[in-house]
Every structure is written in C-alpha cells, then in structure tokens.
Amino acid sequence: MRVLITALVPSHLIPMVPLTWALRAAGHQVLVAGDAELARCATTAGLDTYLVGGSELRQRLTRPGAVPMPDRADMDHRTASEWEEAGERWRTRLGGYIDELVSLGQDWEADLVVTDPVEFGGLITAAALGVPGVVYRWGLDDFTSLLHRQAKVQLHDMSKQFAADGLPDPSLIIDPTPASLLPGGDHTPGLLTRYVPYCGTAELPGWAVQRPERPRALLCLGMWYGRLLAEVGELPSGFRHALSACTELGMDVLFPIAAQYHPLLGDMPDTVQVVDQFPIGPLMQHTALTVHHGGSGTSLTSFASGVPQLVLPGGKPFLQATGRLVQASGAGRNLPGKTEQQDAGLVRAALTELLTREHHRKAARAVCAEIAGLPGPTELVRTLEGLI
C-alpha cells in the first residue's frame, strides 16, 4: 500500500507520525507532501518527503496566516458573504499548489491519502485519484466539522476540476481524542485511536531523565506565543505571572524554547531552566504540571502522562477549544482571556490549586487510563488496509 500524507502545518502532521511508523513497519510505503516547513518536520521523523508549493509566492499563499479561522462561537452566526470571504482565502491557498499535489498523487500511484482536517487539498487529491481519503484530526477540536461542511460549498467548483462530485466527505475520520474529551453538538464522530506522544527526537541529557528535588513545572510557549514574543520583545503577561508564581510556590520550571528567542527573555529567576527547543514527551515522567498555550499536542501529551495543566490560550479558535476542553475534563484550569491572564493573583491561584488539590491529578490520571485503553497505531494500520 502506498500512502500519501499531507498537512497544512507541522503541528498537524506530528500526531500522524506514530501511524506513519506503524505503516512502514507493516511494509507499506509512506510519502509526505507539503511545503518546506512540513518537509523538514517529516524528514526529522525519518520520512520520505516531496515538496509542493515550493516557490516563494506559493509558500506565502500556503502559510497558516493565509487562512484565518473564526472562533467556534462565531461560526454559527456567520453570514453567507463572510463564508464567501473565507472561501476566497481557501481557494487562493489551494490554487497555489493543488495541481502539483494531484499530479504527485497520480505519478506516485497512491492507494490512500491521509490529510489533516483543514488541508482540504488532500481530499481533493484522493477524489481525483479515486482512492480513499482519510482525515486525521490533530486532537482536541470542536470546529473543523463545520469548516468541512462550509468547504464543500466554497470549494465545490475548484474541486470539480479534479473530482466530478466536488469536495468529498472523508472515507474515514481518525480522532486521537478520548471519548471524555470529545465536544458535543454538531461534531462529526470519528474512529477513536490512542494518542501516542511525539514531538521530535533528541539525545536526552541528564536533566531530562533525573527526578528533580522539587516539584517541576513544564512551560510551553508554542508557535503562536513564540511569534508574539518575537514581535513585542517580551513574554506574554500570563506566562510572566506563571513563572513568578512557580518561584513563590517553591517549584522549579523547565522552559524549552527555540534558541532564537532566548535573548528576548531577559533575566530569568534561578529556579527557571531555559533550554533549546526539546521534545516534551520524555520530560513528563518527572513533571508535576504543565503551563501552556493551548496547543493540542502539548495538552494531549499532558493527558497521556496523567499530568495536570494550566492553559493560557491565545486568541486562535483551536487554542481556545483546548482550554475549554481541559477545564471541562477537571484535569486542569483554563484562563481564556487577556483579562484573566493579566491578573497575577488569578494565575497564582490556578497554579496553587493544580499543585495542591488532588482531584485535578485524579482527573488527569483517569484520562491517561482512558487514552491507554484505546487501540493504537498497529490496529489502525489494519483498519486502513481494509479501506483498499
């Protein structure tokens, strides 16, 4: 079986990596197609890659910022003209590379296409090839089902250039979210699979495997707050308050962040260890709690390790969705807006609660057990084989 995989951005590819390893271990061929940033991520994971949308213009049109997403609460109230405006952005992005992606699928003779929920080009390619198209959700998500329904309308004519019936529904939706974290409402059900943490590889130093003497918090800023740090030259207020509160509470903080941002951090307390970007999965064994930006990968890695979490989400809808679902699980706290995050007392109180109240840790362990009980990548390979 020849499996073509594509995603809009690296963070959407990363949850699929354990599946790609399972596919290859089962004797199947895997090729990841995308822009230069996606190709670098896939190469790091040991996967073959193919660059599409490689020119500077096409890179600009395909970057995530070219496709703004509305907040979930606003989607039901969007007018037809607002959805048409969103559709125009989607058509502009896809117009930069869809012909290349379809041609690649034809030349490589793919048997199956796996794509993330907002990389609509994957489903168009699958339809053009006449093969199953599988959507692999990145994790905690309460809005991409509605986006897909709108994409079927907005991308119908473009899709018909490659597929007679327009943008298809996926043959299968794979969801690495345990049932207790699924949103209700109009969320399209998927096949639940075990979330296997992966966020890169590294040679582990001593501090990554040794148990610290004091409780340790893991602070993850994420791509979106990293960019904000670069723009304004200082940490967002919620994270500054979290660092101070951890010091006051007698905790150590491990802060992995790309080296390019280190000069912007200024003086850090002695209790804060700033390191270069580092995969967080191996760090969870000795982590008391995580403080993060609302990234689904960071959140699910925390859940899969039974670690309570404080979410300080940015304004992006998928970050806000993570915060809502973490709060609802009982395994963490969510401070969703600038007002809450700028209040040092609220941040300190949330961290104190996570550190001292056992019910959060019990809830985190319960979700951890739920994740462990789901079928993993090996079982998922057999399901995909059955689609062919």
Side-chain angles (χ1 to χ4, degrees):
M1 186 167 66
R2 302 168 71 85
V3 183
L4 180 64
I5 294 181
T6 188
L8 183 63
V9 289
S11 60
H12 296 185
L13 173 67
I14 282 173
M16 306 183 206
V17 168
L19 172 62
T20 68
W21 292 341
L23 284 164
R24 293 184 63 179
H28 302 297
Q29 298 184 54
V30 175
L31 179 63
V32 177
D35 65 15
E37 190 178 17
L38 192 77
R40 284 193 296 271
C41 175
T43 300
T44 300
L47 303 172
D48 295 327
T49 64
Y50 191 94
L51 188 65
V52 296
S55 72
E56 182 177 348
L57 173 61
R58 293 191 177 195
Q59 292 283 356
R60 179 175 62 80
L61 294 177
T62 59
R63 70 183 189 272
V67 196
M69 295 182 187
D71 184 83
R72 179 63 184 88
D74 297 331
M75 287 185 182
D76 292 329
H77 307 292
R78 278 200 146 194
T79 65
S81 62
E82 288 175 317
W83 279 117
E84 173 61 29
E85 182 181 353
E88 181 59 32
R89 291 194 294 267
W90 294 339
R91 292 187 290 272
T92 298
R93 173 172 66 82
L94 283 166
Y97 61 90
I98 186 60
D99 53 342
E100 293 182 48
L101 190 58
V102 171
S103 294
L104 169 62
Q106 293 168 337
D107 292 340
W108 198 62
E109 300 179 356
D111 300 304
L112 179 73
V113 178
V114 181
T115 183
D116 85 61
V118 294
E119 178 41 273
F120 307 120
L123 291 178
I124 294 175
T125 299
L129 301 179
V131 303
V134 174
V135 162
Y136 199 116
R137 289 182 173 137
W138 56 72
L140 308 178
D141 160 34
D142 66 354
F143 66 96
T144 60
S145 294
L146 176 56
L147 281 184
H148 178 77
R149 290 191 284 273
Q150 288 295 332
K152 286 175 68 70
V153 175
Q154 299 299 330
L155 299 177
H156 179 74
D157 291 343
M158 172 178 277
S159 301
K160 286 194 71 173
Q161 299 175 35
F162 304 94
D165 296 326
L167 182 69
D169 291 323
S171 302
L172 175 68
I173 297 174
I174 300 170
D175 197 332
T177 307
S180 66
L181 297 179
L182 292 173
D186 56 5
H187 187 71
T188 303
L191 175 66
L192 301 188
T193 188
R194 184 167 71 246
Y195 179 80
V196 178
Y198 167 79
C199 45
T201 58
E203 179 181 346
L204 300 185
W207 53 259
V209 297
Q210 296 163 0
R211 182 177 295 278
E213 295 182 1
R214 305 195 306 170
R216 183 172 69 191
L218 179 64
L219 190 147
C220 297
L221 208 58
M223 178 179 68
W224 300 104
Y225 275 134
R227 290 177 177 173
L228 180 62
L229 172 62
E231 290 174 4
V232 305
E234 65 176 4
L235 283 174
S237 57
F239 289 90
R240 293 199 308 272
H241 296 326
L243 288 173
S244 298
C246 286
T247 299
E248 295 170 5
L249 294 170
M251 301 185 70
D252 291 326
V253 178
L254 185 59
F255 186 3
I257 185 171
Q260 69 193 75
Y261 298 126
H262 290 191
L264 302 175
L265 297 176
D267 294 332
M268 290 280 111
D270 294 339
T271 54
V272 179
Q273 181 182 359
V274 178
V275 299
D276 199 1
Q277 203 162 14
F278 196 88
I280 64 172
L283 306 178
M284 288 293 175
Q285 180 180 1
H286 301 313
T287 294
L289 57 87
T290 58
V291 180
H292 64 88
H293 61 297
S296 186
T298 306
S299 183
L300 281 175
T301 300
S302 300
F303 277 123
S305 307
V307 175
Q309 48 195 302
L310 171 62
V311 186
L312 305 172
K316 300 295 181 180
F318 43 90
L319 304 179
Q320 290 288 330
T322 298
R324 288 194 297 272
L325 294 170
V326 167
Q327 179 83 22
S329 75
R333 289 290 312 277
N334 178 43
L335 299 180
K338 288 184 178 179
T339 301
E340 295 96 332
Q341 294 176 21
Q342 290 173 350
D343 188 325
L346 280 179
V347 175
R348 190 184 192 283
L351 283 170
T352 302
E353 182 178 320
L354 292 174
L355 189 62
T356 60
R357 295 189 181 178
E358 184 62 21
H359 75 271
H360 291 299
R361 193 163 300 279
K362 286 182 178 179
R365 287 197 293 262
V367 178
C368 175
E370 186 183 3
I371 290 173
L374 290 170
T378 301
E379 293 91 338
L380 189 54
V381 168
R382 292 196 288 269
T383 299
L384 296 182
E385 290 171 341
L387 297 177
I388 305 303

